[in-house]
């Protein structure tokens, strides 16, 4: 295991923009940590790709972060977490935190009736990532899953309170409404942005679980537990890298994070794939 300087950054990657919801949570819990974020905007979406492609891309994304001396890697993308975590942990000798286990654990802490819904991309749902994890942790739990692919473009477009979002949510969530769930895991980076409409369509009684929040708490525990939390009093530096032109990224990132994104750079795909 490598030993890292406490001031080294945390590396976070996602298939694109959505992982910024995780950056927001990490910075709210850990404001003094520096962050290097990589969004694979040239190859997004991951949610409709095969497992082998997502694993290959995820290894390249993590390698990019490793070259920048990160002290841990957060796989902000639920799709990548659902497929690539074992490969990442095998290849890289540093802590790798994904979204699935933290989200599943938080949902089990919240549920009273042991009926949990999960929404995510096709890949996350088809991989049964959350349901396998939930069933591993509890024998009593019943899991109801639904892929909601159109939520991603709605969030990117900023249509989080648009009537189209309500209509689409009603269609996607109809079966979950009937299933009497008391807890719903938002198993995709973008879905916390649609939390209001999802909550309205289900019922105020259904507890929404943001895996990004759950994972950020795990990151904090990890840093404390290993004694590698940045103990500086200064606010951390945040650097953002993307694999396609950053115009749209900047616009959405500033909306997601609610502030200016100062350091944003496009990298060449060749650099990423090591050619
Ligand atoms: N970041 C992905 C996830 O959380 C959503 C976007 C995509 O399909 O790449 O699953």
């Amino acid at each position: 295991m490598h030993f890292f300087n406490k001031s080294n950054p945390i590396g976070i990657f996602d298939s694109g923009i959505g992982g910024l919801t995780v950056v927001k949570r990490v910075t709210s819990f850990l404001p003094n940590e520096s962050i290097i974020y990589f969004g694979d905007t040239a190859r997004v979406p991951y949610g409709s790709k095969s497992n082998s492609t997502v694993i290959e891309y995820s290894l390249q994304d993590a390698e990019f972060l490793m070259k920048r001396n990160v002290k841990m890697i957060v796989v902000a993308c639920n799709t990548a977490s659902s497929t690539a975590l074992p490969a990442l942990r095998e290849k890289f000798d540093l802590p790798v935190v994904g979204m699935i286990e933290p989200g599943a654990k938080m949902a089990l802490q919240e549920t009273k009736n042991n009926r949990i819904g999960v929404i995510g991309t096709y890949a996350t749902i088809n991989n049964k990532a959350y349901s396998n994890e939930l069933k591993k942790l509890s024998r009593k739990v019943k899991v109801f899953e639904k892929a909601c692919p159109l939520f991603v473009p709605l969030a990117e477009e900023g249509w989080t309170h648009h009537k189209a979002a309500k209509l689409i949510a009603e269609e996607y969530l109809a079966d979950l409404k009937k299933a009497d769930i008391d807890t719903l895991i938002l198993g995709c980076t973008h879905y916390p942005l649609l939390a209001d409409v999802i909550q309205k369509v289900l019922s105020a009684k259904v507890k929404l679980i943001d895996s990004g929040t759950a994972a950020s708490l795990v990151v904090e525990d990890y840093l404390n537990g290993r004694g590698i939390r940045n103990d500086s009093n200064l606010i951390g530096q945040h650097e953002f890298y993307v694999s396609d032109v950053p115009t749209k990224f900047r616009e959405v990132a500033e909306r997601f994070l609610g502030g200016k994104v100062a350091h944003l750079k496009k990298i060449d795909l060749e650099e990423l794939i090591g050619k």
Side-chain angles (χ1 to χ4, degrees):
M1 178 62 70
H2 285 115
F3 289 97
F4 298 100
N5 196 320
K6 290 178 180 178
S7 60
N8 283 22
I10 297 173
I12 302 183
F13 81 84
D14 178 47
S15 54
I17 285 166
L20 294 172
T21 57
V22 180
V23 171
K24 194 165 180 166
R25 302 283 181 256
V26 172
T27 45
S28 73
F29 293 131
L30 300 160
N32 310 108
E33 295 294 338
S34 291
I35 292 174
I36 308 254
Y37 179 88
F38 176 66
D40 195 4
T41 50
R43 303 187 295 188
V44 69
Y46 284 9
S48 51
K49 295 197 168 67
S50 67
N51 285 351
S52 59
T53 301
V54 174
I55 292 171
E56 184 191 336
Y57 289 179
S58 301
L59 290 170
Q60 293 165 352
D61 301 344
E63 187 73 55
F64 172 85
L65 297 173
M66 289 299 288
K67 286 190 192 135
R68 277 144 193 89
N69 269 329
V70 296
K71 61 183 171 188
M72 76 186 302
I73 289 180
V74 181
V75 185
C77 180
N78 285 257
T79 301
S81 299
S82 79
T83 54
L85 226 50
L88 289 164
R89 287 187 172 146
E90 190 175 322
K91 177 152 186 207
F92 301 109
D93 187 20
L94 85 177
V96 180
V97 174
M99 297 291 116
I100 312 294
E101 195 186 329
K105 280 192 175 150
M106 190 179 254
L108 286 170
Q109 278 158 16
E110 290 296 334
T111 185
K112 303 272 183 296
N113 70 359
N114 286 304
R115 301 174 73 83
I116 298 179
V118 181
I119 54 176
T121 62
Y122 280 125
T124 301
I125 298 303
N126 291 343
N127 284 329
K128 299 206 160 296
Y130 279 103
S131 73
N132 288 342
E133 189 65 36
L134 287 163
K135 286 176 188 162
K136 197 171 92 190
L137 296 167
S138 159
R139 271 191 280 152
K140 285 186 275 174
V141 73
K142 287 227 165 347
V143 187
F144 305 86
E145 295 176 286
K146 179 79 187 170
C148 304
L150 291 174
F151 282 171
V152 170
L154 281 174
E156 299 233 342
E157 206 52 40
W159 284 19
T160 49
H161 292 83
H162 193 282
K163 58 184 185 235
K166 176 106 190 303
L167 276 176
I168 291 169
E170 266 161 5
E171 188 73 31
Y172 277 150
L173 303 176
D175 288 344
L176 292 178
K177 248 171 122 166
K178 286 187 216 140
D180 189 31
I181 55 166
D182 72 349
T183 307
L184 177 72
I185 298 177
L186 305 177
C188 172
T189 44
H190 291 60
Y191 299 0
L193 295 159
L194 289 148
D196 286 349
V197 72
I198 293 169
Q199 191 81 71
K200 264 193 207 119
V201 168
L202 290 172
S203 116
K205 284 188 231 139
V206 175
K207 176 90 188 163
L208 303 185
I209 302 296
D210 171 2
S211 294
T213 303
S216 303
L217 294 168
V218 170
V219 169
E220 188 176 11
D221 281 353
Y222 234 115
L223 296 179
N224 288 336
R226 290 181 181 233
I228 52 170
R229 184 170 177 155
N230 194 337
D231 44 21
S232 151
N233 292 326
L234 301 173
I235 294 293
Q237 309 267 330
H238 299 166
E239 293 178 18
F240 298 89
Y241 296 88
V242 287
S243 50
D244 203 351
V245 279
T247 330
K248 168 95 173 152
F249 184 93
R250 180 181 298 285
E251 177 204 314
V252 181
E254 292 184 348
R255 179 152 40 82
F256 270 23
L257 299 175
K260 285 264 163 258
V261 168
H263 188 291
L264 170 60
K265 199 168 169 265
K266 174 188 178 293
I267 58 139
D268 288 333
L269 217 46
E270 272 106 47
E271 184 191 337
L272 193 66
I273 59 182
K275 285 205 174 137

